[in-house]
Amino acid sequence: MADLEIKSVSKSFGSVEVLKDINLKINSGEFVVFVGPSGCGKSTLLRMITGLEAETSGDILIDGKRVNGVDPARRGTAMVFQSYALYPHMTVAENMGFGLKMAGETKAAIRDKVEQAAATLRLEKLLERRPGQLSGGQKQRVAIGRAIVRNPKVFLFDEPLSNLDAELRVQMRAELIELHRRLGTTMIFVTHDQVEAMTLADRIVVMNAGVVQQYGRPLDLYDDPDNRFVGGFIGSPKMNFLEASVAEATPDHVVLDKIAGSDRSLRLPFSGFDRSIKQVAIGIRPEHVSLGAGAADEIPLAVSFAEELGDVTYVHGKLPAGSPVTIRSDKTRYGGKESGNMALDPSGIRLFDPDGRRLRGNGS
Amino acid sequence: MNPTRHLPHYAMILPFAVLFAAFFLYPIVSGFYYSFHDWNAATAPRFVGLANYQSVLSSRDFARAMTNLFNYIVITVPLGIAVAFGLALLVDSFTGAWANFFRSVFFLPVVLPAFLAATIWRWMYAPNFGLVNMVLGWFGVASVNFLNDTGKMLYALIAVDIWVSAGFNMVILLAGLKNIPQDLYEAARLDGASRINQVRYITIPMLSPVLFFVITYGFISALQVFDVPWLLTGSSFTAYGGRRSALLFPVMDMMGRAFGSVHFGEATAYGFILTAIIILVTAAMFALRRWRTPK
Amino acid sequence: MSASAASSTNATTGSAMIADLWTWRILKWVVAICVAIVAVFPIWWMINVVFADPGVPVSINPRLYPTSLHSGLSKIYTILAETEYLRAYFITIAYALLTILGVLFIGSMAAFEFALFEFPGKRVLFGMVMLSLMVPTVVTIIPTYLLVAELGWLNSMQGLVVPGLASAFGLFMLVQFMRSLPMEMIEAARLDGASHFKIYWYIALPLSKNAMVTLAILTFMRTWGNFAWPLIVAPKPEVYTVGQVVGLFNAPYSHQTVDVVMTANLLAVVPPLIFFLIFQRKIVEGIAMSGTKG
């Protein structure tokens, strides 16, 4: 196991800049997930760590040693591909042993290591089969086994669960967590699914358009997003965003009005609000919004439809300005109302400036 | 960027690239060079400018060969493809094991080396006791001297040619036929189209890219015909082309000038002239297709 | 067309349709069988001529079926034992095998690169090779002969084999196939520490077996039947290929009788025929594929 440092790494393909000045430090033994929408650069970053792509500028260090330009097989990394990339003409044992064979190990040594890895992944009975005879989950495990056998310092996963059906995915997630616990190796996992990120990661790197949006523990990202993108990306259903104007800003509070096109206003304790900001977006998660009884500071909404799942109800509506909102209610059922008011729980409010940056104030 | 990182790629393509350069690119260039020289391999080459080209183009043999070629092509290409197309339709009308059987049987002559087909047919064409004449004899037809009667030799050649190559084109056309969706035929039948009309309005248009390929390839190989006429006439470098050069063809003429009369300059010039003709024909085919395509 | 009118038309043309169906059926079988006879008969005739007593004239035995096993076998034996035929056989087999090995090996190495990787000059090079497919052999055959002569390779195995090794058609076929190999698998092999050549050897090559076998068969057919090239490059009788030997028997001044000539032919046809009978599906599919893609 080793720590990994990415220093000011950028990558362009021709004139297209795919990664812009990435800086990350991943500690030894951590399970870090790179997550973001398609095209955000997460896979490219992964491939640069393993050496399949070269960085345009910047350095990558594994265990303190600079690995730029070092042959992919010699970096001490191992990768599990999205399509598993198993060799169809070789048995499972041969697939897992191929890397060792290339490294020149003896047949006996190869057999031992393969059997060990196979035991870890419960593949002992499948060693003589070919990939074509395996199920998706089994192929997945062989791909992991092929990586384990080489005793890497860093494990890399490129969207390995995307090809599995939902039920299998949940099962494999559990197995991966168990694997990490057992091996303790540094693991980097790329996915576009934020649920996977939240369940697997020690820390999450959220990326968008080649830039790291935020890097931190899952719940920290959930509770304390750095910017609008992270707020909207993490958590399902998505965070609601209500546009509002700044009516008044004093050193200890701020008054926002014209919230989501309504005439309601809200007064929030906020120390050190930047007076140059005139418009904000109020970010608030569905669980911090409720259907209210009609108090003065509630915001009117028209209900579009409701999802009643039994234990939880999601009410989807439209606010006066036309923006959508999702309300989550655990205790009260919806009851068929067509319009109503929604109340905001101030503790769930996160403010963002027009550029999407999070407004934190001093000590709030 | 590390420049040597491309080295493995170049190393892998090196054998092919070297051989390609040596045995394809170089010959073209050297052939071009020799075509402007008079050379008989014994003495040094002597520059003669366009003399070789002129002497080829104005020679009687060239005229004869080109005439033969023209007569040969206008019959063998359309006829050959029509036969192949007919065979393809025929095989397509069978299913399962019989379809495979007939496809293999019709394909069999293609598998034979051309020299084999030529020699067998040469003896089958023999006057009086050759098989063909024997069969004609059963029907009361007098023996025909296929390989010596200058009026008949061309047709004898074409028959062998088609026998050898129909199966090849058939296989390609058959694959094309299989790619035509069945529902088109069903829709046409519901519209009242007879089988012949179905072929005319569906099969042929849908097959046109494959037909184009087959026709173009057919022209290109017909223009280079050599093996079969050479063997049918029992030619050698001292005497070739059959009686009164009835089966003299350009490639044969070219080879004769190289290895018979040993005029390598003339022979290479001949090669380029032929290539120019082939390129023209191919270009004409492509132009024809472009002209016909926006229908 | 109203429903009732349609059904009445169907009823009256029903029997006509059935008759029509049967005519087509019979017709197609008749035609197919006739064509099959035409296709196969020359070969059958050749066999009959070989296995017939040459002394019996054609008017009595029109050679429609084999009549004398003994006569045929003795002719075969004579040709193999008393002429250079056997040597020509070996030469041709060696020629074919070496060509196949060379084309497959050299072609697959190059195809591996062209199909899966990028490097400077790749497009130009590949374009040139593909263009060469359009260049007719007429323009290269004589200059290539001159080059071979200059290299001192006339009448030698290398003169026969080497010029044909850079097969553009073979390259085309293998590239088409190798393009379908998943890039992730190649990358996995790279991560497994395989050198470039090892990726080719352990991964790409085994997975291309199908295409290679088809190419091998097609190359064999082409080489065995190659007439013009050996004719000019190996004119010395000691190094004749089967094609040339047959041509020798065939020549008017050889004074050979038809049955001896046909025996030579028969022996020459055996390998391609065997290949065909075993591999016919592959051969046919290989050709069909090149036609529909080309």
Side-chain angles (χ1 to χ4, degrees):
Chain A
M1 68 187 98
D3 54 20
L4 176 67
E5 220 182 309
I6 299 174
K7 278 185 170 172
S8 300
V9 164
S10 302
K11 174 72 179 173
S12 307
F13 288 109
S15 56
V16 179
E17 217 188 345
V18 168
L19 287 170
K20 305 176 179 127
D21 199 36
I22 309 285
N23 283 283
L24 290 171
K25 188 160 191 320
I26 297 168
N27 300 321
S28 174
E30 266 195 305
F31 193 123
V32 172
V33 174
F34 293 173
V35 72
S38 301
C40 67
K42 55 193 190 295
S43 281
T44 311
L45 188 56
L46 194 76
R47 288 163 65 88
M48 292 202 300
I49 296 174
T50 189
L52 288 174
E53 302 277 1
E55 50 289 303
T56 308
S57 65
D59 294 325
I60 298 181
L61 292 88
I62 298 182
D63 239 355
K65 265 199 307 243
R66 192 166 169 276
V67 294
N68 298 29
V70 172
D71 191 55
R74 278 198 264 274
R75 293 190 182 197
T77 59
M79 185 142 125
V80 177
F81 290 85
Q82 182 173 2
S83 67
Y84 322 131
L86 299 178
Y87 309 123
H89 58 296
M90 297 188 195
T91 63
V92 165
E94 286 166 349
N95 260 281
M96 287 173 54
F98 189 69
L100 299 171
K101 181 171 163 180
M102 290 298 108
E105 304 225 6
T106 65
K107 282 209 182 133
I110 296 179
R111 195 181 28 234
D112 281 342
K113 292 190 184 176
V114 167
E115 279 172 7
Q116 246 184 348
T120 311
L121 294 163
R122 298 177 345 263
L123 289 171
E124 308 96 317
K125 296 234 169 60
L126 302 173
L127 283 176
E128 291 311 307
R129 297 241 191 115
R130 302 234 159 167
Q133 302 165 295
L134 302 176
S135 71
Q138 289 168 332
K139 280 195 263 213
Q140 179 62 278
R141 276 188 268 142
V142 174
I144 297 176
R146 183 168 67 177
I148 289 185
V149 136
R150 306 181 57 223
N151 231 345
K153 296 192 212 151
V154 182
F155 249 104
L156 302 160
F157 296 88
D158 191 359
E159 304 217 41
L161 305 184
S162 306
N163 289 349
L164 303 175
D165 64 54
E167 196 184 310
L168 205 50
R169 223 182 293 172
V170 172
Q171 189 188 326
M172 289 305 300
R173 283 210 299 256
E175 288 202 25
L176 281 172
I177 296 176
E178 170 64 31
L179 192 71
H180 179 238
R181 195 164 17 158
R182 205 148 12 125
L183 298 178
T185 322
T186 315
M187 290 189 181
I188 302 182
F189 189 99
V190 163
T191 178
H192 60 273
D193 181 348
Q194 56 97 27
V195 173
E196 261 172 28
M198 294 292 282
T199 49
L200 293 169
D202 289 333
R203 281 204 285 172
I204 299 180
V205 176
V206 177
M207 293 177 67
N208 188 33
V211 176
V212 172
Q213 301 293 322
Q214 192 168 353
Y215 178 30
R217 297 207 309 261
L219 290 178
D220 289 343
L221 263 60
Y222 187 87
D223 292 331
D224 199 11
D226 271 356
N227 55 53
R228 186 168 169 159
F229 180 82
V230 175
F233 189 83
I234 302 279
S236 178
K238 288 167 66 145
M239 182 185 262
N240 296 304
F241 292 103
L242 285 54
E243 306 296 325
S245 310
V246 179
E248 188 194 318
T250 68
D252 67 347
H253 72 264
V254 62
V255 176
L256 307 169
D257 70 357
K258 302 210 196 65
I259 300 179
S262 70
D263 53 5
R264 304 285 199 262
S265 65
L266 196 60
R267 185 195 152 106
L268 290 169
F270 200 105
S271 71
F273 190 87
D274 182 347
R275 280 161 168 258
S276 66
I277 298 177
K278 297 299 172 200
Q279 295 284 116
V280 295
I282 302 175
I284 186 161
R285 295 201 179 272
E287 63 262 28
H288 294 131
V289 185
S290 53
L291 286 172
D297 59 347
E298 288 171 8
I299 302 163
L301 75 119
V303 175
S304 312
F305 67 100
E307 293 176 284
E308 304 211 57
L309 299 173
D311 58 336
V312 63
T313 300
Y314 292 111
V315 177
H316 300 267
K318 273 204 160 50
L319 297 167
S323 47
V325 70
T326 305
I327 304 172
R328 176 195 163 114
S329 82
D330 283 351
K331 299 289 192 267
T332 50
R333 296 275 172 92
Y334 162 55
K337 298 190 211 105
E338 292 224 325
S339 67
N341 296 316
M342 78 177 184
L344 306 176
D345 175 356
S347 72
I349 290 182
R350 311 279 178 263
L351 294 179
F352 301 95
D353 74 8
D355 292 325
R357 270 183 297 242
R358 173 81 182 283
L359 299 165
R360 283 200 169 89
N362 312 329
S364 79
Chain B
M1 263 311 103
N2 184 2
T4 65
R5 79 188 184 119
H6 293 304
L7 214 58
H9 301 305
Y10 292 128
M12 296 282 276
I13 65 173
L14 197 67
F16 188 92
V18 164
L19 287 168
F20 183 74
F23 294 103
F24 181 78
L25 295 177
Y26 176 75
I28 292 184
V29 171
S30 74
F32 196 63
Y33 170 80
Y34 284 127
S35 71
F36 297 113
H37 292 71
D38 179 25
W39 190 39
N40 59 5
T43 57
R46 182 173 62 94
F47 183 75
V48 290
L50 292 170
N52 285 326
Y53 288 90
Q54 279 172 334
S55 88
V56 167
L57 287 168
S58 61
S59 70
R60 207 177 47 171
D61 273 350
F62 180 75
R64 187 90 177 105
M66 292 305 290
T67 315
N68 286 343
L69 187 67
F70 180 78
N71 292 333
Y72 169 70
I73 287 186
V74 294
I75 301 179
T76 202
V77 176
L79 185 60
I81 291 184
V83 168
F85 183 61
L87 290 181
L89 289 177
L90 184 62
V91 172
D92 198 33
S93 70
F94 289 93
T95 52
W98 281 115
N100 281 335
F101 171 74
F102 282 117
R103 184 183 66 174
S104 299
V105 168
F106 297 166
F107 188 70
L108 189 57
V110 177
V111 156
L112 300 186
F115 64 76
L116 218 69
T119 43
I120 297 180
W121 277 91
R122 176 152 191 262
W123 289 92
M124 280 183 25
Y125 275 138
N128 299 318
F129 58 83
L131 187 72
V132 181
N133 277 315
M134 250 179 43
V135 171
L136 286 179
W138 295 347
F139 291 102
V141 180
S143 164
V144 180
N145 196 342
F146 287 100
L147 297 180
N148 250 315
D149 181 346
T150 54
K152 308 274 185 313
M153 286 159 83
L154 189 64
Y155 302 106
L157 169 66
I158 292 177
V160 177
D161 225 39
I162 294 183
W163 183 81
V164 169
S165 60
F168 180 83
N169 286 328
M170 175 197 77
V171 157
I172 298 180
L173 289 172
L174 201 56
L177 280 180
K178 297 253 180 271
N179 280 337
I180 302 178
Q182 266 304 103
D183 2 15
L184 289 182
Y185 289 114
E186 287 171 2
R189 227 172 69 204
L190 289 177
D191 276 342
S194 68
R195 282 193 192 215
I196 298 187
N197 276 337
Q198 284 176 36
V199 169
R200 196 169 143 210
Y201 290 111
I202 296 182
T203 314
I204 294 185
M206 291 296 287
L207 215 50
S208 73
V210 180
L211 273 173
F212 177 77
F213 171 77
V214 161
I215 294 175
T216 307
Y217 188 74
F219 269 117
I220 295 179
S221 42
L223 286 163
Q224 300 181 72
V225 65
F226 174 73
D227 291 11
V228 179
W230 181 271
L231 286 165
L232 275 183
T233 53
S235 299
S236 67
F237 285 119
T238 46
Y240 50 88
R243 181 122 169 272
R244 292 210 249 123
S245 302
L247 285 187
L248 178 69
F249 288 102
V251 174
M252 210 190 280
D253 194 14
M254 176 184 83
M255 299 285 242
R257 289 175 202 242
F259 301 101
S261 52
V262 196
H263 283 125
F264 284 114
E266 243 180 50
T268 48
Y270 210 123
F272 278 98
I273 293 173
L274 279 181
T275 307
I277 295 174
I278 293 176
I279 291 181
L280 275 172
V281 171
T282 315
M285 291 295 303
F286 274 95
L288 202 70
R289 168 158 102 160
R290 195 159 300 166
W291 175 68
R292 286 186 72 213
T293 304
K295 262 196 194 167
Chain C
M1 194 149 53
S2 67
S4 53
S7 56
S8 69
T9 323
N10 276 346
T12 50
T13 58
S15 47
M17 274 170 63
I18 293 178
D20 179 56
L21 193 65
W22 274 106
T23 351
W24 273 114
R25 271 218 177 138
I26 296 177
L27 197 66
K28 94 175 172 188
W29 275 97
V30 167
V31 172
I33 292 182
C34 284
V35 174
I37 292 179
V38 171
V40 174
F41 200 80
I43 303 165
W44 177 242
W45 180 75
M46 171 182 67
I47 297 177
N48 300 338
V49 167
V50 172
F51 288 96
D53 188 343
V56 178
V58 180
S59 43
I60 299 181
N61 174 7
R63 311 292 196 268
L64 291 177
Y65 48 84
T67 46
S68 164
L69 184 63
H70 169 262
S71 173
L73 287 176
S74 81
K75 267 174 273 188
I76 293 177
Y77 177 76
T78 313
I79 285 193
L80 287 179
E82 294 177 20
T83 66
E84 310 296 297
Y85 202 93
L86 208 54
R87 183 175 60 196
Y89 228 77
F90 285 130
I91 291 180
T92 316
I93 289 183
Y95 169 39
L97 279 176
L98 287 171
T99 306
I100 290 176
L101 275 171
V103 165
L104 250 49
F105 194 51
I106 296 177
S108 62
M109 285 208 299
F112 177 63
E113 295 302 326
F114 284 118
L116 297 167
F117 302 97
E118 294 293 330
F119 45 91
K122 162 185 159 164
R123 289 233 174 132
V124 172
L125 227 66
F126 193 62
M128 260 203 296
V129 176
M130 288 301 108
L131 267 179
S132 80
L133 280 173
M134 307 276 285
V135 172
T137 45
V138 263
V139 77
T140 49
I141 191 166
I142 305 245
T144 311
Y145 164 82
L146 293 172
L147 174 63
V148 166
E150 229 176 308
L151 287 169
W153 285 358
L154 283 180
N155 294 309
S156 73
M157 187 56 75
Q158 58 263 37
L160 273 181
V161 173
V162 176
L165 290 182
S167 161
F169 173 73
L171 185 69
F172 173 70
M173 211 181 151
L174 290 174
V175 165
Q176 290 286 81
F177 183 84
M178 285 202 186
R179 276 210 180 121
S180 69
L181 294 176
M183 202 52 198
E184 283 199 342
M185 195 168 53
I186 310 284
E187 287 177 345
R190 230 180 114 193
L191 285 180
D192 273 338
S195 71
H196 209 64
F197 184 80
K198 289 204 176 136
I199 299 181
Y200 158 77
W201 186 259
Y202 284 108
I203 312 289
L205 215 54
L207 289 175
S208 305
K209 228 185 289 196
N210 246 335
M212 303 255 283
V213 167
T214 308
L215 184 60
I217 296 168
L218 290 174
T219 307
F220 177 81
M221 298 303 204
R222 189 168 50 94
T223 315
W224 190 266
N226 207 348
F227 182 69
W229 182 246
L231 181 73
I232 60 179
V233 162
K236 220 163 60 167
E238 284 83 26
V239 289
Y240 268 1
T241 58
V242 165
Q244 289 162 285
V245 171
V246 166
L248 200 63
F249 278 98
N250 181 62
Y253 55 75
S254 73
H255 300 307
Q256 294 286 4
T257 49
V258 64
D259 56 334
V260 174
V261 178
M262 287 304 130
T263 313
N265 272 346
L266 181 63
L267 291 171
V269 94
V270 166
L273 207 57
I274 293 179
F275 261 81
F276 174 69
L277 289 173
I278 302 179
F279 294 112
Q280 50 177 293
R281 177 154 276 167
K282 275 210 172 356
I283 298 175
V284 169
E285 276 165 19
I287 292 178
M289 208 176 47
S290 61
T292 49
K293 289 232 176 96

